Amino acid sequence: MFYAIVARDREGSLDARRAARPRHLARLEQLQEAGRLLIAGPLPAIDSPDPGPAGFTGSLVVAEFASLEEAQAWAAEDPYMEAGVYEQVDVFPFLKVLPK
């Protein structure tokens, strides 16, 4: 089943986000290579593809896991968690309807 991982950044965490990004992306690439990643990306703090110093408010990952507990465990081990980027992470079951 798919799960939506919705994370919120801590205020002032842009430098920590930049530093942890390569490790964060490596984990997402592992999901992609396994055919389990539906979509992933950051949430810009302003309406721009390059928010510059405004940074990001969080991230969205939708990926396939065997269970909610597995999705939560995966999210808890994210490098952004270790780096203190995220202040809150919520994981929800997700049903893909479109596109087919």
Side-chain angles (χ1 to χ4, degrees):
M1 179 165 189
F2 285 108
Y3 294 89
I5 300 168
V6 182
R8 288 290 191 183
D9 285 13
R10 290 186 192 285
E11 186 86 22
S13 63
L14 184 57
D15 289 340
R17 177 183 266 274
R18 287 179 178 149
R21 187 171 191 262
R23 293 181 296 124
H24 171 78
L25 290 178
R27 290 182 82 233
L28 291 170
E29 288 166 357
Q30 289 174 350
L31 286 177
Q32 182 177 10
E33 289 167 7
R36 296 171 45 203
L37 183 64
L38 185 61
I39 191 169
L43 306 172
I46 59 173
D47 189 11
S48 172
D50 180 5
F56 302 92
T57 61
S59 300
L60 170 66
V61 175
V62 180
E64 188 174 22
F65 294 93
S67 67
L68 177 60
E69 292 77 19
E70 184 182 309
Q72 290 169 329
W74 186 90
E77 295 173 1
D78 192 291
Y80 284 170
M81 289 292 291
E82 295 172 10
V85 174
Y86 293 154
E87 72 177 350
Q88 179 178 342
V89 177
D90 296 304
V91 182
F92 305 96
F94 179 83
L95 296 176
K96 182 180 180 277
V97 175
L98 294 172
K100 292 182 180 186

